[in-house]
Amino acid sequence: MQAPRQPQPQPYPHPQPPTGTARGHFPSRPAARLAGLSDRAGHLADRLAPRTSAERVLDLVLGTALLIATAPAVALGALALAVRRGPGNVWERTPRTGLGGRVFTLRSLRTRRLRLDLLSRLPQVVRGDLSLVGPAPLAPGDPRAAWPGARQWRQELRPGLTGLAQVRARSGMPWDDPALLDQHYAEHHGVVLDLAILTEAVRNSLRTTTGRARSTKAHLSDTDHRLPGYSRVD
């Protein structure tokens, strides 16, 4: 009687190279690199998305054109201030809160003549710190930024070179309160509204300049240039 045959040992399988799922669902090194690159691309797209809007295109195109056109006047104004007040008193630098709550330095010429203080901020429009049209730039910690609902839209919009509050607040009417106008702009902002505000800002500047010219002309015409001894009868 034959003894029972012992089972032959089966060959142990060679270990297979670990795959992405065999290592606890961790991706392979090339996959991890691709995932990292895609994440970086996503973050970059998120950062660039606000700048590729139609309003940002308007800032870049019109802001660059205005910067080139007004650069000689701003340069002459800066030179005149440097001669009159000294090189250290040409620019005013103040901290302001911008897009996403980021704090930046607002640079302006220390003069109001010909609105050179506003025109000197055009480089910051092109750079992206400011927009041509937007809410007024507030200092960090300004209580107006903490009003109910204001914190969110102020972080979503760039502060403006001019804005709805700047062109309408002069009327003194209750509904033209700057805070209400900024809120209205935040709810309805767009290229069409921006162009309308810019047009109104130009009109206001022209009215101010024309009013000053008329005042000067009237003052000169009222001066008595008659020679001594002149009478109404003559």
Side-chain angles (χ1 to χ4, degrees):
M1 184 174 179
Q2 295 181 354
R5 180 177 298 180
Q6 298 294 330
Q8 298 293 329
Q10 297 295 328
Y12 188 80
H14 295 287
Q16 298 295 327
T19 61
T21 57
R23 292 182 297 163
H25 300 285
F26 286 102
S28 62
R29 184 172 297 178
R33 290 179 179 176
L34 291 177
L37 290 176
S38 63
D39 291 341
R40 293 178 184 177
H43 291 314
L44 182 61
D46 293 339
R47 292 178 59 186
L48 295 180
R51 300 187 178 185
T52 57
S53 63
E55 293 170 271
R56 182 57 187 155
V57 172
L58 178 65
D59 289 341
L60 287 173
V61 175
L62 186 56
T64 302
L66 290 174
L67 176 61
I68 295 174
T70 60
V74 173
L76 288 176
L79 180 61
L81 288 174
V83 172
R84 183 182 304 175
R85 304 179 182 177
N89 296 317
V90 175
W91 295 97
E92 181 179 4
R93 296 173 175 85
T94 54
R96 290 293 183 266
T97 304
L99 184 66
R102 183 179 63 87
V103 178
F104 67 97
T105 301
L106 183 66
R107 297 175 72 251
S108 307
L109 279 180
R110 295 179 180 271
T111 179
R112 289 287 183 177
R113 295 185 178 180
L114 303 177
R115 304 316 303 270
L116 290 180
D117 57 332
L118 293 180
L119 296 178
S120 65
R121 301 174 187 173
L122 283 171
Q124 294 182 282
V125 172
V126 177
R127 187 165 60 241
D129 294 331
L130 294 173
S131 182
L132 287 175
V133 179
L138 301 181
D142 193 299
R144 288 175 290 179
W147 288 356
R151 181 181 307 229
Q152 180 178 357
W153 61 258
R154 282 195 178 274
Q155 293 207 2
E156 295 175 353
L157 293 176
R158 289 182 177 87
L161 200 67
T162 186
L164 186 61
Q166 287 87 332
V167 300
R168 289 288 304 275
R170 299 178 182 179
S171 68
M173 302 302 292
W175 52 82
D176 282 345
D177 179 75
L180 295 178
L181 291 173
D182 282 340
Q183 178 71 28
H184 179 82
Y185 175 81
E187 296 173 352
H188 302 90
H189 67 96
V191 174
V192 176
L193 181 58
D194 286 358
L195 291 175
I197 293 174
L198 288 172
T199 302
E200 189 65 22
V202 172
R203 288 179 180 176
N204 289 343
S205 297
L206 292 177
R207 289 169 186 167
T208 302
T209 304
T210 304
R212 290 176 180 174
R214 289 178 178 176
S215 177
T216 303
K217 183 177 179 180
H219 177 73
L220 292 177
S221 63
D222 292 341
T223 304
D224 193 351
H225 298 286
R226 293 174 297 183
L227 296 175
Y230 179 83
S231 64
R232 292 177 180 266
V233 179
D234 296 337

